[in-house]
Amino acid sequence: MIGVAMVGTGGISPRHLQAYLTFSARAEIRALVDIVPERAHEKAKTLNISAPVYDAYQRILDDPSIQLVSIATPPSTHAEIAMAALAAGKHVLVEKPMASSLAECDQMIQGAKEAGRVLSVVAQNRFRTPMMKLKRILDSGVIGRVVHVAVESYWWRGPQYYDLWWRGTWESEGGGVTLNHAVHHIDALQWMMGSPASLTAEMGNVGHENAEVEDVSVAILRFQQGAMGQLTSSVVHHGQEQKLLFQGERAAVGFPWQIQAERSQPNGFPVANRGLVEEIQALYDSYPALTYEHHLGQIDDVLTAIEHQRVPLIDGQSGRRTLEIITAIYESATLGKRVMLPLGPDSTFYQKDDLLRQVPRFHTKSRSVDAFSVNEITT
Ligand SMILES: NC(=O)c1ccc[n+]([C@@H]2O[C@H](COP(=O)([O-])OP(=O)(O)OC[C@H]3O[C@@H](n4cnc5c(N)ncnc54)[C@H](O)[C@@H]3O)[C@@H](O)[C@H]2O)c1
């Protein structure tokens, strides 16, 4: 039985807690921690959890009955809490974004390595049947060499969204839509395509006056193998359509699931390749559906990693690769230049202070609330 402490019991925490309750034969929630303990008490009551409540994560570090710490606190606190938990010999599942800088990611990866513990970063969208199947289709090579990828990470959030105290500043949120929303699609992108070799980006804040951070960014990517890519991150898109579309030499496939295939006529003009579409669809249909999806799927994976001493699907390196692309977008958009990857300690934006010193403040954050009276969230 794996003893779990939940640190941060706000909006997203029920997804973690419900997953641990679902896997009650494998995990038990043994502590709830929040600097506002009333929130932890409220979650305990609503979800019928009988675990002690603490107001500081330090209180659980010496508790030998806790082996896994689930962190769902604001992004600027992830690295400190994760590092302390790993140093105390706990496994860690940390919400996205992994941390506020690549330097912090590297420290967390090092901490997990030294402690010999599992470190996983939440990217629950990988645990969706169509996403897993898309990855398998790409890995199969059936669409040929990928020549272009389009990522549309379109979300819509009203102006009040950034009133929450930790959102909307570079210091505590760490960034805007690219970091906190598009992170899901950037994770899927690097999982399926690998990291780009270079990128160029622009960003702005076109509709959220109570935020320093960007509410839209547009990046152009170039991959080592020659493929090009475009990635838009936005919280100003009504309809919130979200898409990844991979153009291969033989066919295009995407999420939400879609296939198109053309072949050439003698004059180069296209004609539909129905046979190939049917072949790819049959392959897609032959893959099994996931038993557990979203946070449930990822927490199943993390528990399995601990039980079998294996690496989780989304480990620290994977979380870092996603933050590396985001950091490169911030660097490029801030400095107005193309950025080459990978980014290491000599990069201009490696430390959080480097980023804070250089990024533009689009607006001054002037309104702040401790919590919303209704904190239902969609993911
Ligand atoms: N995976 C997803 O789809 C998804 C969706 C929403 C939020 N998130 C992420 O989850 C994290 C939390 O977001 P949220 O929407 O639940 O925020 P929230 O503000 O609703 O909850 C955060 C909670 O953490 C507590 N807290 C703050 N600092 C703390 C500390 N040092 N120790 C203990 N508790 C502390 C706060 O009091 C609050 O109750 C963020 O990193 C966010 O990006 C992920």
Side-chain angles (χ1 to χ4, degrees):
M1 183 67 77
I2 298 168
V4 181
M6 181 80 231
V7 180
T9 56
I12 198 66
S13 67
R15 311 285 170 100
H16 292 236
L17 295 169
Q18 277 155 353
Y20 294 120
L21 293 172
T22 302
F23 299 120
S24 61
R26 303 161 69 194
E28 186 176 66
I29 301 162
R30 296 192 175 143
L32 298 172
V33 184
D34 202 295
I35 51 170
V36 184
E38 299 77 53
R39 277 188 206 138
H41 284 296
E42 182 240 305
K43 296 290 179 314
K45 194 167 162 221
T46 325
L47 295 169
N48 203 13
I49 298 166
S50 54
V53 166
Y54 302 107
D55 62 0
Y57 73 82
Q58 290 86 349
R59 303 276 307 277
I60 53 132
L61 297 178
D62 294 333
D63 183 342
S65 76
I66 290 165
Q67 287 86 41
L68 169 62
V69 179
S70 240
I71 303 172
T73 53
S76 63
T77 63
H78 290 179
E80 179 194 316
I81 301 171
M83 294 285 293
L86 290 165
K90 318 290 187 200
H91 304 284
V92 166
L93 172 64
V94 62
E95 263 299 342
K96 61 81 189 161
M98 179 170 173
S100 301
S101 70
L102 292 172
E104 289 180 353
C105 292
D106 286 341
Q107 286 161 13
M108 289 161 74
I109 291 166
Q110 186 60 25
K113 195 172 156 201
E114 281 168 13
R117 293 294 182 265
V118 168
L119 168 62
S120 184
V121 182
V122 173
Q124 80 272 15
N125 280 330
R126 280 200 205 181
F127 295 89
R128 292 170 78 174
T129 294
M131 198 67 100
M132 284 282 181
K133 288 191 177 198
L134 175 61
K135 165 74 172 155
R136 290 187 69 172
I137 291 283
L138 289 168
D139 288 352
S140 78
V142 69
I143 72 163
R145 189 170 60 90
V146 175
V147 292
H148 185 271
V149 56
V151 181
E152 293 173 0
S153 191
Y154 293 164
W155 308 72
W156 192 89
R157 293 291 182 269
Q160 300 88 338
Y161 179 79
Y162 286 103
D163 293 358
L164 191 66
W165 65 273
W166 59 263
R167 292 195 191 127
T169 66
W170 290 101
E171 170 62 40
S172 68
E173 189 173 0
V177 57
T178 322
L179 181 71
N180 277 308
H181 294 80
V183 63
H184 294 292
H185 299 109
I186 296 172
D187 169 75
L189 171 72
Q190 61 85 2
W191 183 42
M192 295 185 193
M193 278 289 283
S195 300
S198 68
L199 64 80
T200 308
E202 293 277 352
M203 64 178 171
N205 182 319
V206 296
H208 292 85
E209 287 189 346
N210 198 32
E212 294 176 353
V213 297
E214 88 289 359
D215 62 4
V216 61
S217 73
V218 182
I220 300 165
L221 320 170
R222 187 182 280 281
F223 292 84
Q224 197 70 54
Q225 64 274 34
M228 299 285 296
Q230 60 195 62
L231 159 64
T232 305
S233 312
S234 162
V235 276
V236 299
H237 272 66
H238 295 274
Q240 305 199 94
E241 281 169 28
Q242 298 165 2
K243 189 164 87 177
L244 290 118
L245 186 57
F246 297 87
Q247 299 289 342
E249 286 172 310
R250 302 179 73 222
V253 289
F255 177 91
W257 176 240
Q258 57 173 298
I259 323 168
Q260 282 103 26
E262 327 278 358
R263 57 187 167 74
S264 188
Q265 299 189 68
N267 64 355
F269 277 73
V271 59
N273 189 345
R274 291 207 184 82
L276 183 56
V277 168
E278 281 166 21
E279 184 193 322
I280 295 171
Q281 186 63 50
L283 191 58
Y284 183 90
D285 293 340
S286 73
Y287 299 142
L290 294 177
T291 312
Y292 303 112
E293 292 197 290
H294 304 280
H295 277 83
L296 203 55
Q298 181 153 9
I299 284 176
D300 175 42
D301 177 68
V302 168
L303 294 176
T304 308
I306 296 169
E307 288 157 353
H308 297 284
Q309 291 163 28
R310 67 149 170 83
V311 177
L313 178 63
I314 304 147
D315 64 0
Q317 291 292 356
S318 192
R320 187 200 192 278
R321 274 195 295 278
T322 300
L323 199 79
E324 185 178 52
I325 296 172
I326 294 164
T327 304
I329 290 173
Y330 288 153
E331 184 176 337
S332 174
T334 301
L335 304 179
K337 64 165 199 163
R338 188 208 289 190
V339 172
M340 311 300 289
L341 283 79
L343 301 182
D346 56 350
S347 139
T348 331
F349 274 56
Y350 182 71
Q351 301 279 353
K352 183 172 179 180
D353 283 351
D354 297 332
L355 180 135
L356 290 180
R357 210 176 41 252
Q358 299 177 78
V359 284
R361 270 69 177 171
F362 292 107
H363 299 287
T364 304
K365 178 160 171 157
S366 55
R367 288 190 311 275
S368 184
V369 297
D370 289 340
F372 293 115
S373 52
V374 177
N375 200 15
E376 289 291 313
I377 62 173
T378 50
T379 54

